[in-house]
Amino acid sequence: MSQSFHKSRRLLALAAVATLSLGVLSACSSSSASPGKSGSGALKDGFGDRAKSRNVEFITYYDPSQDAFWNQIKQGAEDAAKLAHFSLKEETAAGDVGKMTDLINAAAASKPAALVISFNDPAWENAACEVAKAGVAVFAYNVPPSGPAKDCVKAFVGQDFFQVGTYVGQKLIDSVDLSAGDKVLCPAEEPSQQYAIQRGGGVESILKTKGVKCTYLRTSGEDAPALDKMQAWLTANKDVKAIVPLGGTPHRNAVQAEDAAGVKVPIVGFDTSPQVIDGIKSGRILATADQQGYVQGFQPVLEAALFLDFGLSPATINSGGNSLIDKSNVSNLEDKALQGVRW
């Protein structure tokens, strides 16, 4: 089947879910009027139609065109925007803290109905609060604010990093014979960011029962430097016992880094990608914690619609699930029709 057919089928399914969640079974209008106008094709109760402004800005920190996980987030946001009849402005900072801050500052001036952003770095928290003060509904996803912006966002959709870190840590000690003092490499794009601190903290809360600590390594969010840095570290530390990638970039490069360094140890990490799927299937990767990026894009945009159209209070959602992906269930991520949703 064609990709467009699968996408249409998915949107129809999502529309059905949205309709049921709103508690309405009435048919949608067949009018082709533009979004935000009466009879626009919105549901009869006004979902997708009631709010006068339907301009929503969605900013990604990393570039979705370069990262499978962030592409899932982007796809979720786009699908929800179609259901809600939003005009979605999508921008990316491409991993640049300064650019992210500038984009958010610009939103304070343009005043969209809602701004949906991640908080990978606290540098733009004050800027986000200025947007909120300007009357824009601000929603967080992927990484929650840790400072002043806690009180400036409507809700957060993302993984409970610490909790899921405990699942990864438990999988590691259940699968690998670790002893006090053993080396476990925990590479992350940015070890100082909240996702890495909390994920690593969850992992270490379990590893400490064996007297083991993580050795953190900054890889950056780009594949080439991540591969080079992990290869160099592994070459110099061939006595390492396991690798726990704390982010999608080091995880999708971990097997290749091992091969380049002449090291072969168990890997248990976070996030999904074609490389991680292949690693699980081959047995090189024991398991991964999927934070379900599609949900992180879809839910905050849908919540923005419910808030703007009905004034419903947004809710914080844990998108991380309560189990890991391993050989027993990795096939769920291989359906080509689910590219952009599950991998």
Side-chain angles (χ1 to χ4, degrees):
M1 297 180 183
S2 69
Q3 185 176 2
S4 61
F5 173 82
H6 287 303
K7 188 170 184 179
S8 297
R9 183 180 64 183
R10 184 171 72 246
L11 285 171
L12 287 172
L14 291 172
V17 171
T19 300
L20 289 174
S21 70
L22 290 167
V24 294
L25 296 176
S26 58
C28 296
S29 166
S30 59
S31 172
S32 59
S34 60
K37 302 297 183 182
S38 179
S40 66
L43 298 180
K44 288 184 176 179
D45 59 9
F47 174 76
D49 189 49
R50 293 187 77 236
K52 292 181 179 179
S53 174
R54 310 206 70 77
N55 297 318
V56 172
E57 189 163 346
F58 192 94
I59 306 176
T60 57
Y61 180 58
Y62 291 111
D63 187 349
S65 69
Q66 303 298 317
D67 189 297
F69 171 71
W70 285 80
N71 186 59
Q72 293 174 28
I73 293 175
K74 176 178 180 288
Q75 185 64 62
E78 291 175 349
D79 285 355
K82 288 178 181 178
L83 290 177
H85 291 257
F86 279 151
S87 174
L88 191 69
K89 181 180 180 181
E90 299 176 77
E91 298 185 284
T92 182
D96 186 322
V97 172
K99 183 176 180 180
M100 187 75 176
T101 304
D102 289 343
L103 289 171
I104 294 170
N105 283 330
S110 62
K111 295 184 180 179
L115 173 67
V116 186
I117 55 176
S118 58
F119 287 88
N120 303 73
D121 193 287
W124 54 81
E125 292 205 17
N126 288 326
C129 285
E130 290 302 313
V131 176
K133 289 177 184 177
V136 178
V138 180
F139 293 80
Y141 71 93
N142 187 245
V143 180
S146 59
K150 284 182 178 180
D151 296 327
C152 301
V153 301
K154 298 295 184 184
F156 167 68
V157 178
Q159 187 178 71
D160 185 327
F161 296 126
F162 187 91
Q163 181 188 64
V164 177
T166 66
Y167 302 153
V168 170
Q170 190 63 50
K171 178 68 174 180
L172 185 62
I173 66 170
D174 288 346
S175 307
V176 181
D177 185 15
L178 295 174
S179 302
D182 282 346
K183 292 180 182 177
V184 173
L185 175 63
C186 295
E189 293 90 346
E190 300 292 344
S192 63
Q193 290 184 1
Q194 282 300 308
Y195 80 93
I197 292 171
Q198 294 180 35
R199 283 176 169 177
V203 171
E204 287 197 295
S205 72
I206 303 299
L207 294 186
K208 70 181 182 181
T209 63
K210 296 287 186 177
V212 176
K213 294 182 178 180
C214 277
T215 296
Y216 293 93
L217 176 70
R218 181 182 180 274
T219 67
S220 89
E222 298 179 6
D223 289 309
L227 175 59
D228 289 345
K229 289 179 180 180
M230 287 192 292
Q231 177 186 342
W233 190 94
L234 291 169
T235 300
N237 296 271
K238 291 184 180 289
D239 58 340
V240 65
K241 296 297 183 181
I243 302 176
V244 182
L246 300 176
T249 305
H251 202 179
R252 64 176 176 262
N253 287 283
V255 171
Q256 189 176 350
E258 284 192 352
D259 291 343
V263 172
K264 191 174 182 179
V265 297
I267 301 168
V268 186
F270 296 80
D271 300 340
T272 60
S273 64
Q275 297 93 325
V276 170
I277 293 171
D278 289 343
I280 293 173
K281 290 168 62 180
S282 71
R284 295 290 296 276
I285 296 176
L286 298 179
T288 190
D290 178 18
Q291 61 175 314
Q292 304 181 133
Y294 184 87
V295 175
Q296 295 183 10
F298 185 87
Q299 288 288 3
V301 174
L302 189 64
E303 288 202 31
L306 295 172
F307 174 73
L308 294 171
D309 282 336
F310 302 131
L312 293 175
S313 298
T316 291
I317 297 173
N318 175 11
S319 73
N322 297 311
S323 61
L324 304 180
I325 295 170
D326 56 21
K327 266 192 172 182
S328 70
N329 57 7
V330 71
S331 61
N332 294 333
L333 275 67
E334 295 185 282
D335 187 340
K336 296 299 183 183
L338 298 182
Q339 184 173 2
V341 178
R342 294 298 284 124
W343 58 278

